[in-house]
Amino acid sequence: MKGVVLAAGKGERLKPLTDDRPKVTLKVANRPIIEYIMENLDPFVDEFVIIVRYKKEKLIEVLGDEFHGKPVTYVEQLPGDGTAKAIESAEKYVMDEEFIVANGDIYLEKEGVKELVSTFRKHNADAAILVKNFDDLSHFGKVEVNGAKVERITEKPGKIPGYANLGLYVFTPEVFRFIKSTPLSERGEYEITDTINRMIKAGKNVVYAVYEGYWNDIGRPWNLLELNEYLLKTKLGHEIKGEVEEGAVIIPPVEIGEGTVVRSGSYIIGPVKIGRNSRIGPNCFIRPHTSIGDNCHIGNAVEVKNSIIMDNSNAPHLNYVGDSIIGENVNLGAGTITANLRHDRGNIKVEIKGKLEDSGRHKLGAIIGHNVKTGINVSIYPGRKIGSNSLIGPGVVVDKNVPPETLVLL
Ligand code: TTP
């Protein structure tokens, strides 16, 4: 069976982190998110077909042509948007057998894949969907069921409880016939949920499996922080491959990669993951649920908590980075501080595709794109975004989002 992974989307809601790369290449706990779903599909598939379009070169560079010794084929999405169009693009690679489809931006445990594949086989089905019970389906497709069968999927039905579509499917190649007659949706996309509704109307056997484990759909920036926290809490070992100077305190579990040096006076409370060839300290404080990538520098009098700092980025002097996401190749000037809490302790709102969205979190710091440089004493309000390649001059208070490629001076 082949595993088709959808990775052609633009990831608009994750801007500025997706300014120059597909969202599935973003690293959480120092690993590109697409690798987590591939890892969990791996026991069930003999080959991966990745559907690509937006910034595909970056994904090919990150993943290469093999995963766990299995071939990885990249297929450009056919003209048109949406998950149905993306799946249709795989047709000639999977035309003779059943296949699994996963959104490349979801995280779930292996049990979910196993349950779905065995349900599909047990019922000799034409399609199977993985679902999970949620109290609020406003961001999901609601999967209505009757006995073992799916009766209908309704996109974004509002704040009601029920089974949500998790973005993992098994299909027989018959699905392609139904995809080809699926019309554009109101959102202007060809959606696989519309295709599945057409299959059901035509009397096809569409079944579901219920998953109870952890699941996340990386749509918005704070989902990266949620997944990071989950992975560090549940999957981290305690392994120090780098060098730790006398006088540094490390409270497990902490993973430190080869070539990284932790200097005296650093105080690290796990779970924390640090990549290779990074310089940590002296005298810094790294608090739980923090991932720091390769070739980073966290210097003197710097505090980092509950954050993701991607490769080649520096917080070298007197910085506070809380509940924040820092892209690759970022340099925070001395004294650059992220605020992560409102005085009224209300939920932090973030502008997503031009609209303010409630993140549901009362602690959320900055979301900083790639190649950003800040000057000394820059202060960043909670939930603000700085676009990639922007420069923020000394003393600036970032109280509004900054577009990419922008120079902001006092
Ligand atoms: P979405 O998260 O709905 O879309 P997106 O990735 O473009 O993100 P945004 O809405 O923020 O712009 O996509 C769900 C999955 O399907 C995701 O893994 C990307 C994939 N996809 C495609 O492969 N092709 C497409 O045309 C679309 C819309 C999504």
Side-chain angles (χ1 to χ4, degrees):
M1 179 148 73
K2 291 194 175 110
V4 176
V5 182
L6 311 186
K10 286 204 187 94
E12 288 283 345
R13 291 165 301 158
L14 265 179
K15 289 213 154 158
L17 301 162
T18 49
D19 283 337
D20 64 350
R21 63 196 71 197
K23 74 168 142 182
V24 299
T25 62
L26 293 172
K27 288 186 181 173
V28 175
N30 296 353
R31 197 166 185 204
I33 48 184
I34 194 169
E35 290 191 8
Y36 293 108
I37 187 73
M38 290 174 72
E39 179 97 38
N40 289 338
L41 292 182
D42 182 59
F44 308 92
V45 306
D46 46 30
E47 189 175 337
F48 293 94
V49 177
I50 317 282
I51 310 302
V52 295
R53 180 155 68 197
Y54 177 72
K55 311 282 180 196
K56 63 177 180 199
E57 300 73 22
K58 179 76 184 174
L59 178 53
I60 296 169
E61 176 195 318
V62 165
L63 260 187
D65 53 12
E66 244 185 48
F67 186 81
H68 288 196
K70 294 176 184 168
V72 175
T73 306
Y74 297 93
V75 178
E76 175 95 21
Q77 181 167 322
L78 295 166
D81 289 335
T83 44
K85 221 7 117 185
I87 297 170
E88 187 184 358
S89 318
E91 182 172 11
K92 73 174 187 242
Y93 299 87
V94 294
M95 62 212 299
D96 357 286
E97 51 167 5
E98 64 204 36
F99 58 100
I100 310 185
V101 173
N103 288 358
D105 56 353
I106 55 168
Y107 181 92
L108 49 79
E109 301 293 349
K110 270 192 187 71
E111 293 69 45
V113 188
K114 188 170 169 208
E115 200 51 45
L116 186 69
V117 172
S118 67
T119 303
F120 175 86
R121 291 193 171 139
K122 184 169 114 198
H123 293 283
N124 199 15
D126 298 300
I129 313 174
L130 194 68
V131 303
K132 180 173 169 70
N133 211 7
F134 282 96
D135 292 338
D136 174 4
L137 294 180
S138 14
H139 289 302
F140 296 104
K142 176 178 175 21
V143 181
E144 288 169 57
V145 302
N146 185 1
K149 293 200 177 197
V150 174
E151 281 202 319
R152 189 165 42 155
I153 311 180
T154 316
E155 279 304 331
K156 319 269 175 335
K159 207 170 172 182
I160 52 165
Y163 283 145
N165 170 16
L166 298 188
L168 187 79
Y169 316 87
V170 183
F171 293 111
T172 62
E174 234 201 315
V175 69
F176 295 113
R177 183 158 67 82
F178 291 91
I179 288 179
K180 287 184 179 121
S181 64
T182 300
L184 264 187
S185 71
E186 275 170 23
R187 294 198 300 167
E189 292 185 4
Y190 297 96
E191 308 202 25
I192 195 62
T193 45
D194 288 339
T195 305
I196 293 170
N197 284 331
R198 295 173 92 81
M199 291 178 78
I200 296 165
K201 278 207 180 113
K204 295 287 155 196
N205 186 17
V206 180
V207 299
Y208 65 97
V210 182
Y211 172 67
E212 282 170 1
Y214 179 84
W215 176 86
N216 209 324
D217 166 27
I218 308 300
R220 295 162 175 79
W222 53 90
N223 299 136
L224 295 165
L225 292 179
E226 292 161 3
L227 179 59
N228 189 53
E229 180 172 342
Y230 171 78
L231 290 170
L232 295 184
K233 269 186 182 156
T234 60
K235 313 281 177 201
L236 200 73
H238 182 70
E239 192 173 22
I240 313 282
K241 292 188 181 152
E243 178 196 335
V244 178
E245 284 183 2
E246 204 174 309
V249 174
I250 295 189
I251 300 173
V254 174
E255 279 184 19
I256 296 179
E258 270 166 33
T260 287
V261 180
V262 179
R263 299 212 181 281
S264 186
S266 301
Y267 197 98
I268 305 178
I269 307 178
V272 163
K273 182 158 182 157
I274 303 173
R276 286 168 300 181
N277 302 320
S278 286
R279 288 180 293 144
I280 308 296
N283 306 316
C284 64
F285 184 22
I286 303 180
R287 295 168 52 195
H289 315 133
T290 295
S291 293
I292 296 168
D294 297 340
N295 308 309
C296 292
H297 179 201
I298 307 299
N300 181 56
V302 172
E303 177 173 344
V304 186
K305 71 151 283 227
N306 207 39
S307 291
I308 298 173
I309 299 184
M310 298 187 191
D311 297 338
N312 308 314
S313 287
N314 305 323
H317 329 271
L318 302 149
N319 307 113
Y320 174 68
V321 178
D323 303 275
S324 295
I325 305 163
I326 312 290
E328 278 182 20
N329 204 26
V330 169
N331 195 75
L332 302 181
T336 288
I337 300 289
T338 64
N340 60 343
L341 181 67
R342 293 165 52 116
H343 288 307
D344 63 5
R345 297 192 169 247
N347 283 355
I348 309 243
K349 297 197 172 92
V350 181
E351 196 184 304
I352 305 283
K353 286 173 90 173
K355 277 201 209 130
L356 265 194
E357 275 196 33
D358 185 344
S359 68
R361 301 170 67 98
H362 68 282
K363 292 241 174 119
L364 181 63
I367 301 136
I368 300 186
H370 311 288
N371 312 314
V372 167
K373 312 277 176 252
T374 68
I376 55 163
N377 290 333
V378 167
S379 304
I380 309 170
Y381 272 38
R384 298 309 190 270
K385 305 198 268 191
I386 301 181
S388 298
N389 303 310
S390 287
L391 296 177
I392 314 295
V396 169
V397 174
V398 178
D399 58 354
K400 294 186 192 60
N401 293 329
V402 176
E405 324 266 344
T406 304
L407 172 64
V408 184
L409 296 174
L410 253 191

